[in-house]
Amino acid sequence: MALKWVDSLDIALALIDEHPEVDPTQLHFPELMQWVIALEEFDDDPNRCGERILEAIQQAWIDEAD
């Protein structure tokens, strides 16, 4: 399944699998963006990413980590 920027929950779940030791509340957006782009399933234009998208991914990660 190819992940796009709009798939915030699926991206968050993939990041939880890739980085289980990370506290998402301590993650800075530039690092989060790089981690998303590095996901094997990710297939979208990196230039389409914005702060709102990263906020949605981070919030989904926080929600799932609870």
Side-chain angles (χ1 to χ4, degrees):
M1 174 177 116
L3 295 173
K4 305 290 184 187
W5 287 117
V6 296
D7 302 319
S8 55
L9 178 58
D10 293 327
I11 290 172
L13 294 173
L15 290 170
I16 289 170
D17 288 342
E18 290 281 323
H19 306 280
E21 74 290 349
V22 172
D23 177 357
T25 64
Q26 302 301 310
L27 195 58
H28 298 283
F29 285 163
E31 187 173 21
L32 176 58
M33 183 178 174
Q34 290 304 311
W35 286 3
V36 172
I37 293 168
L39 290 171
E40 186 175 321
E41 304 91 1
F42 185 75
D43 183 29
D44 205 346
D45 182 355
N47 295 320
R48 294 188 59 223
C49 180
E51 190 171 315
R52 282 188 165 188
I53 291 170
L54 295 171
E55 285 175 351
I57 293 167
Q58 184 182 42
Q59 188 59 56
W61 189 347
I62 292 167
D63 292 345
E64 290 300 312
D66 285 344

